[in-house]
Amino acid sequence: MTHARSSRLLRALSAGTAAATLTVGLAACGSAASSSDAASVDNAATGAVTVAALANGAGTRTYIKVSEVASLHAELPASVAKGGQLVIGVGALPAGFPPLAFVGSDQQTLTGSEPDFGRLVAAVLGLKPVVQNSTWENLFVGIDSGRTDVGFSNITDTEERKKKYDFASYREDNLAFEVTRTSTWNFNGDWTTLAGKTVAVGAGTNQEKILLEWQAKLKAAGKQLTVKYFPDNNATHLALVGGKIDAYFGPNPGIAYQIAQDARTPNPTRNAGTYSGAGASLQGLIAATVKKGSGLARPIADAINYLIKNGQYAKWLAAWNLSNEAVPTSLVNPPGLPLTDS
């Protein structure tokens, strides 16, 4: 399957956080686009974009000053500049996947780090953001048809996708280990430290594939790594705080969300270390995705680099507890997940 790795990650996020997402509201997904536009327009006069505005604990509401950069607007394809808007695609239907994209506390506005970053990029380019929420599959249909200008939806840069799309990277694609705050264990990239541990993982996910490879290597060395599976995120979390497992290995954004939810509870958790979603040989990257040859990848990358240089990028990541996925620069079509592993 062409999009297997990233779509599995998205499904893992969606399934793993489904119960928690219900608490922030999943109703009225169909009206999310118009509501999110209104929230952006409210800030236009002050030259600011509000991120995590309706996050209900998944992020910290933050006002980020940003305004049009004329030289970057001038880089836009004529058709986009003339239209005056950036149509941003997000593939978060039906359930959403906090903290990346989900329906906010008003029960209608699409919020999350992904649509928020699309709004920031649109502001730098001097365009009105129009956020459209759809299913994962229809996100790509929208880009293919030209109805959507760019996808901001946790899309992994892969060589397979480069056959149809151009990319502008903006986050690392990371997995992470979640442990209780009292745990002294940390993962520093050395899988041998997992010897003797019991780790939970989602079945059929990219992280399971990596964990099982480590388990096989440890077994060959005469050491044991116990892998556990649970039916949902709640059961996994109960096993972690109850001491039945030592760690949970999952997508870094989903773990950031769970840690934020746990922060004020009697059983707080923490991030014990990250690992590239692309494996040991390549740092996976999440990228803004546009139709190949559209001419949008370069101006979007330049807008992202403006946000990085001027500090708005760091504020956006911090608002969503994703600072550990920062990139030093946005690249156009950087090396992606190889064709043999896409």
Side-chain angles (χ1 to χ4, degrees), residues 42-268:
D42 288 343
N43 293 315
T46 62
V49 172
T50 306
V51 302
L54 299 161
N56 201 22
T60 303
R61 184 183 179 102
T62 305
Y63 295 91
I64 299 180
K65 287 283 187 179
V66 60
S67 55
E68 178 183 352
V69 179
S71 60
L72 298 182
H73 180 84
E75 295 181 12
L76 290 166
S79 59
V80 177
K82 183 178 180 180
Q85 64 183 28
L86 186 68
V87 182
I88 299 161
V90 180
L93 290 178
F97 39 97
L100 300 178
F102 58 101
V103 176
S105 54
D106 66 349
Q107 304 296 303
Q108 61 180 5
T109 302
L110 183 68
T111 189
S113 62
E114 303 297 85
D116 276 354
F117 196 59
R119 295 178 186 115
L120 285 167
V121 169
V124 173
L125 294 173
L127 299 172
K128 176 187 175 182
V130 178
V131 182
Q132 295 182 344
N133 195 12
S134 67
T135 63
W136 174 250
E137 291 78 10
N138 283 333
L139 165 63
F140 292 95
V141 172
I143 297 172
D144 294 344
S145 68
R147 294 194 305 270
T148 301
D149 294 317
V150 56
F152 280 96
S153 195
N154 203 55
I155 302 170
T156 300
D157 167 25
T158 75
E159 293 304 310
E160 177 67 26
R161 288 182 178 141
K162 281 180 184 169
K163 295 176 182 179
K164 295 179 65 177
Y165 307 105
D166 288 325
F167 294 105
S169 57
Y170 63 92
R171 271 197 301 111
E172 289 186 347
D173 179 9
N174 284 336
L175 303 170
F177 286 93
E178 182 185 10
V179 300
T180 60
R181 192 177 291 178
T182 57
S183 170
T184 59
W185 178 78
N186 288 291
F187 179 76
N188 60 3
D190 181 5
W191 51 267
T192 64
T193 62
L194 289 163
K197 302 294 183 186
T198 299
V199 181
V201 72
T205 60
N206 178 45
Q207 53 268 25
E208 180 198 31
K209 175 178 176 288
I210 292 171
L211 193 64
L212 292 179
E213 288 173 355
W214 289 337
Q215 183 189 48
K217 290 179 180 180
L218 286 168
K219 184 177 181 180
K223 299 177 182 179
Q224 183 173 343
L225 165 60
T226 302
V227 177
K228 293 282 190 180
Y229 300 91
F230 296 92
D232 54 42
N233 188 59
N234 286 340
T236 302
H237 184 255
L238 287 173
L240 179 62
V241 299
K244 294 182 179 179
I245 58 175
D246 297 302
Y248 164 62
F249 188 42
N252 181 70
I255 286 176
Y257 171 75
Q258 186 62 59
I259 290 170
Q261 303 309 297
D262 290 342
R264 294 180 179 85
T265 71
N267 299 299

